[in-house]
Amino acid sequence: MVVVMYPQAKEEQVAEVDSRLTAMGFRAQVIYGAKRTVVAAVGDRRAIESLGLEALPGVEKVVPIMKPFKLASREVSEENTVIKVRDVTIGADQVAVIAGPCAVESREQLMEAAQAARRAGARFLRGGAFKPRTSPYSFQGMEEEGLKLLAEVSEQTGLVTVSEVIDEDSLERATAYIDILQIGTRNMQNFRLLKAAGQSNKPILLKRGLSATIEEWLMAAEYIMSEGNQSVILCERGIRTFETYTRNTLDLSAIPLVKSLSHLPVVVDPSHATGKRELVLPMTLAAVAAGADGLLVEMHPNPAKALCDGPQSLNPEQFLQLMESARPVAQAIGKTL
């Protein structure tokens, strides 16, 4: 259930609703929107109805949420969630571009990638410090040293950092260095990690699982939000199908569908979705046209020497072309890049 407050409701009136729900044993969360505030409550519907909340000052209505994902549901908030990190946002009218190498390999490599991303107009820097790989013999990342390099390069370039965490230990370590914590496709249903992420104070970029349905993906977001962290960014990165010519199959229909079901921002990763450098640009344009709130693009100063995912990584010149090509598409749907 959500208790919708009038736009002019006072803070003490919101607090009274929250206090009454909490005292009765319900899990309540206050969600502040640009236009109005709602109090979301998880518990027995009939018990909530018996509290007479609609009679309290400042309360406009009490609305039951029928979807299994409660806090992530569009029923909780008609407004799109906009997540602000430093001076940039994800979910507003500007398409957020997150670019950088799959893995942090050295200070020089990361700085060169960051400078190229910045020159092209990106405001976010991605780089993996912890790398969950299919093979135990593949490069596993620089771990905390990689996190330190990301923080150092961010300080020098002003780019907001995004990096993956793979367990509770890496999450705790990354929190001290990284702006946005990514939970990858293999961990989308790692419920202990999701709960730990929900207790952090960092925005979480949650990738869709290899074979996850949209409802399973939104329920994973619900795990994070139910622990108190409302700053969740959903990332469509392709799903596993019978097709073998691409690494995965990019589900572009998920963008408008998820945005109709949820208020959370949706970004797209065309690099992991296709696994092929020549497909990243056309899928980027398609994702922007479909209404994506952001892009997650792999870009390496020298893809031929990349320790991870070289075949799907753009070089700086190709990334600049991508940005220039995507701008008019964004403008055509009323956004900027």
Side-chain angles (χ1 to χ4, degrees):
M1 306 279 286
V2 289
V3 182
V4 182
M5 308 298 294
Y6 281 110
Q8 66 271 23
K10 299 177 181 179
E11 189 65 35
E12 56 267 27
Q13 294 171 336
V14 176
E16 171 62 22
V17 173
D18 183 29
S19 175
R20 182 170 295 197
L21 287 166
T22 302
M24 293 297 294
F26 296 101
R27 297 177 63 183
Q29 290 190 30
V30 180
I31 302 173
Y32 295 96
K35 296 180 181 178
R36 63 179 64 218
T37 299
V38 303
V39 183
V42 179
D44 182 76
R45 177 179 172 180
R46 289 168 297 180
I48 293 176
E49 290 173 343
S50 70
L51 294 177
L53 296 174
E54 288 179 318
L56 292 178
V59 174
E60 179 180 350
K61 57 185 175 180
V62 178
V63 181
I65 299 176
M66 306 311 294
K67 299 286 192 303
F69 42 92
K70 308 298 183 185
L71 299 172
S73 171
R74 176 67 72 179
E75 296 171 79
V76 165
S77 175
E78 295 180 1
E79 306 166 29
N80 293 329
T81 290
V82 177
I83 295 172
K84 185 173 183 180
V85 187
R86 298 196 215 169
D87 62 339
V88 292
T89 58
I90 299 177
D93 291 334
Q94 184 172 22
V95 179
V97 181
I98 307 166
C102 174
V104 177
E105 300 167 8
S106 68
R107 176 180 284 103
E108 294 73 21
Q109 169 247 19
L110 188 62
M111 179 60 76
E112 190 174 345
Q115 291 172 340
R118 184 81 192 198
R119 283 195 303 270
R123 301 295 303 279
F124 299 80
L125 174 65
R126 62 157 295 157
F130 300 93
K131 298 302 301 178
R133 307 297 299 280
T134 301
S135 170
Y137 308 113
S138 299
F139 177 60
Q140 303 289 313
M142 295 179 68
E143 300 191 346
E144 190 158 357
E145 184 59 31
L147 296 175
K148 292 178 180 178
L149 289 177
L150 281 163
E152 178 185 328
V153 170
S154 173
E155 185 174 356
Q156 295 182 43
T157 62
L159 295 175
V160 173
T161 52
V162 181
S163 193
E164 183 173 356
V165 295
I166 59 175
D167 53 25
E168 294 173 73
D169 175 65
S170 61
L171 185 149
E172 184 176 351
R173 287 194 276 172
T175 299
Y177 301 100
I178 304 301
D179 297 305
I180 299 174
L181 306 179
Q182 174 184 310
I183 294 179
T185 183
R186 292 175 177 85
N187 276 311
M188 190 206 79
Q189 290 185 312
N190 181 340
F191 300 120
R192 288 181 61 89
L193 179 58
L194 295 177
K195 286 186 174 184
Q199 294 164 14
S200 74
N201 60 354
K202 299 282 186 175
I204 306 298
L205 190 149
L206 178 65
K207 284 197 166 187
R208 185 179 181 181
L210 285 172
S211 304
T213 66
I214 285 174
E215 185 166 300
E216 289 168 341
W217 186 20
L218 289 170
M219 289 303 293
E222 192 77 10
Y223 263 89
I224 298 170
M225 300 176 76
S226 68
E227 294 293 327
N229 188 345
Q230 306 302 307
S231 298
V232 179
I233 305 154
L234 300 169
C235 181
E236 164 60 42
R237 46 81 65 209
I239 52 176
R240 179 171 288 171
T241 68
F242 50 78
E243 183 54 67
T244 58
Y245 276 94
T246 54
R247 183 172 179 174
N248 297 285
T249 298
L250 180 56
D251 183 8
L252 288 175
S253 66
I255 303 168
L257 178 54
V258 169
K259 290 177 76 67
S260 71
L261 294 171
S262 175
H263 54 89
L264 298 175
V266 182
V267 306
V268 172
D269 180 349
S271 302
H272 279 91
T274 64
K276 294 188 175 183
R277 185 179 300 114
E278 62 271 21
L279 297 180
V280 172
L281 174 57
M283 289 300 95
T284 291
L285 301 182
V288 174
D293 295 301
L295 302 164
L296 187 65
V297 181
E298 289 193 353
M299 182 266 291
H300 193 287
N302 189 347
K305 294 185 177 180
L307 298 180
C308 177
D309 287 346
Q312 66 195 35
S313 298
L314 305 181
N315 62 35
E317 293 74 23
Q318 292 165 333
F319 179 68
L320 177 61
Q321 179 189 353
L322 179 147
M323 293 290 286
E324 292 175 346
S325 299
R327 283 195 177 94
V329 180
Q331 291 169 359
I333 61 169
K335 293 190 175 185
T336 59
L337 194 67

